[in-house]
Amino acid sequence: MLYNYSGVVHIHTKYSDGSADLKGIARAAYKSGANFVLINDHDTLKGLYLEGECYMHGVLVLVGSEVTPRRNHFLCYDIETVPSRHLRPEEYVGEVYRQGGFGFLAHPDQKENPLFPGRMHWENWDLDMPFGVEIWNFFSQWMGSFKTVKGLLKSIFFPKALLKPPHPETLLRWDRLGSVRPVPAIAGVDAHGGRQFNWLPTIVSSYLHQFKTLRTHVLTREPLQGDLQKDRRMILSAIKKGRSYLVNHFAGKVKQFSFYLQHQHRCWHMGEEAQHCPGMVFKIELPEKAHVRIIKDGRLFSQSTTRFVRLPNPGPGVYRVEVYKGTFWPRPWIFSNHIYVRAS
């Protein structure tokens, strides 16, 4: 049995360019229904030093950082010091892993907005390190949803209508990397609470609103029990291994979603590798009936509108699931991490 916990990833506080301290973040997360949050202030761990990781308002607050040169931003966790943003990407990413930490390429295919010039995409994906990828980023999508003042106004008052699936190019790169090694993925909110654009109305800029957009749901083998160090290890381990799935809360909340590979009495879950053998079966269970797309090696493999899927005898490949909700206006809802079926 696995336990499901919903978290908000990629949050900025007053210690960089956000507008609240950790206590304010935790309060908003509690009101939004999140179980945990991951902080990523720019080039600092000040929140860790001044307030510390802890449970607040029943929410587990964990602190990482975001290395932020002009481009090639990197979300990192489980580190003691933040590498310099003046290093080359392979150097600061390497330093994170030398410290025993791990991380994710942040908003890797973010496009430039003509109203707010500047690109923060990743230029080099050929890093010889086990990095993960932030495949979905709410703030990046919001910034890319308009090119004119008229479009900006529309994006302010109708933000729910503008949240799209992860960028196709990001998904394709991620799928291709998965053919070589496991590559965990997260959904980031990139929440700032309005400090960067304090002229925006609450519908866009409040932490509470932002925390109701994209979630990263992790699966743990034991329940969280309020023990800071033990629970911290379980959440970070699940994030690091890709034992998680991503949810657009605009399309609907999710209490439970399962996607696993079974052979006799053994199961492999998201983020795990299995050696191919005859008789394997993929099983998918949704919270409710929706449109399910099974992606294999970056291409559509199977699709149906249902709540339960049973796919027998899959061949070797890199598999993941996309779920869309709604008939006339399909909304992206759930994106799984990969399950890797390797050739024997």
Side-chain angles (χ1 to χ4, degrees):
M1 178 179 178
L2 295 177
Y3 299 87
N4 177 84
Y5 295 101
S6 172
V8 183
V9 177
H10 195 163
I11 303 169
H12 299 283
T13 77
K14 71 175 187 178
Y15 300 117
S16 62
D17 57 350
S19 58
D21 57 13
L22 300 191
K23 186 179 295 184
I25 299 291
R27 187 182 302 113
Y30 168 75
K31 291 180 180 178
S32 75
N35 302 114
F36 68 92
V37 296
L38 300 185
I39 304 300
N40 289 97
D41 281 321
H42 297 294
D43 305 299
T44 184
L45 292 171
K46 191 176 291 186
L48 176 64
Y49 302 142
L50 296 182
E51 297 189 62
E53 297 180 324
C54 60
Y55 271 100
M56 286 188 280
H57 301 287
V59 176
L60 178 59
V61 180
L62 302 178
V63 181
S65 185
E66 181 179 6
V67 183
T68 55
R70 183 181 178 188
R71 297 171 183 166
N72 304 310
H73 290 194
F74 190 66
L75 304 173
C76 46
Y77 304 99
D78 216 9
I79 57 173
E80 296 182 358
T81 60
V82 183
S84 170
R85 65 182 179 183
H86 300 295
L87 299 172
R88 297 193 305 270
E90 61 271 22
E91 292 176 328
Y92 55 73
V93 174
E95 175 59 27
V96 167
Y97 284 91
R98 277 190 291 273
Q99 291 185 37
F102 65 98
F104 299 81
L105 311 186
H107 38 71
D109 288 302
Q110 180 169 325
K111 305 303 180 183
E112 185 172 4
N113 187 310
L115 298 183
F116 304 97
R119 296 188 66 186
M120 294 181 286
H121 62 290
W122 262 89
E123 297 173 307
N124 179 11
W125 289 64
D126 299 324
L127 299 172
D128 188 21
M129 297 157 206
F131 60 84
V133 182
E134 182 188 47
I135 65 168
W136 219 353
N137 181 297
F138 168 71
F139 191 67
S140 291
Q141 282 212 356
W142 186 83
M143 285 287 290
S145 66
F146 57 87
K147 296 182 179 180
T148 64
V149 174
K150 182 179 179 180
L152 171 60
L153 294 175
K154 181 180 178 181
S155 70
I156 288 174
F157 292 106
F158 303 99
K160 294 183 181 181
L162 299 170
L163 191 56
K164 299 178 180 179
H167 195 284
E169 187 175 348
T170 304
L171 292 175
L172 185 58
R173 293 176 193 263
W174 177 47
D175 289 330
R176 287 174 175 171
L177 283 171
S179 67
V180 179
R181 63 170 178 84
V183 185
I186 55 174
V189 175
D190 210 349
H192 296 81
R195 176 175 289 184
Q196 281 192 323
F197 303 101
N198 55 16
W199 43 268
L200 291 175
T202 301
I203 190 173
V204 171
S205 63
S206 77
Y207 282 113
L208 180 57
H209 170 81
Q210 292 169 349
F211 290 177
K212 293 180 179 180
T213 58
L214 296 180
R215 293 287 179 87
T216 298
H217 285 240
V218 304
L219 303 173
T220 64
R221 301 192 183 280
E222 297 179 34
L224 300 183
Q225 298 180 349
D227 182 315
L228 174 61
Q229 293 306 319
K230 184 177 180 180
D231 295 351
R232 177 185 189 275
R233 286 194 297 270
M234 286 196 292
I235 294 295
L236 291 182
S237 175
I239 292 284
K240 180 179 181 179
K241 294 177 180 178
R243 197 165 60 245
S244 59
Y245 59 93
L246 321 177
V247 175
N248 168 18
H249 267 218
F250 280 154
K253 296 180 180 179
V254 175
K255 290 187 177 181
Q256 191 66 44
F257 161 78
S258 62
F259 166 47
Y260 62 94
L261 178 67
Q262 188 174 35
H263 182 253
Q264 298 178 353
H265 299 295
R266 184 173 181 185
C267 291
W268 293 265
H269 297 276
M270 288 170 278
E272 296 182 337
E273 293 180 286
Q275 293 299 311
H276 176 261
C277 63
M280 286 180 157
V281 178
F282 272 121
K283 294 185 178 181
I284 303 167
E285 180 177 352
L286 307 181
E288 61 184 83
K289 186 176 180 180
H291 188 71
V292 184
R293 293 162 47 94
I294 299 175
I295 308 299
K296 177 186 178 184
D297 299 329
R299 296 186 177 185
L300 179 63
F301 182 69
S302 173
Q303 62 180 329
S304 59
T305 300
T306 183
R307 184 180 175 189
F308 302 97
V309 176
R310 185 180 186 274
L311 181 65
N313 299 312
V318 179
Y319 294 84
R320 61 180 176 83
V321 172
E322 300 179 357
V323 183
Y324 291 79
K325 193 173 181 181
T327 303
F328 300 105
W329 175 39
R331 289 164 291 169
W333 187 20
I334 303 170
F335 281 69
S336 78
N337 260 279
H338 295 122
I339 295 178
Y340 310 89
V341 183
R342 306 302 191 188
S344 301

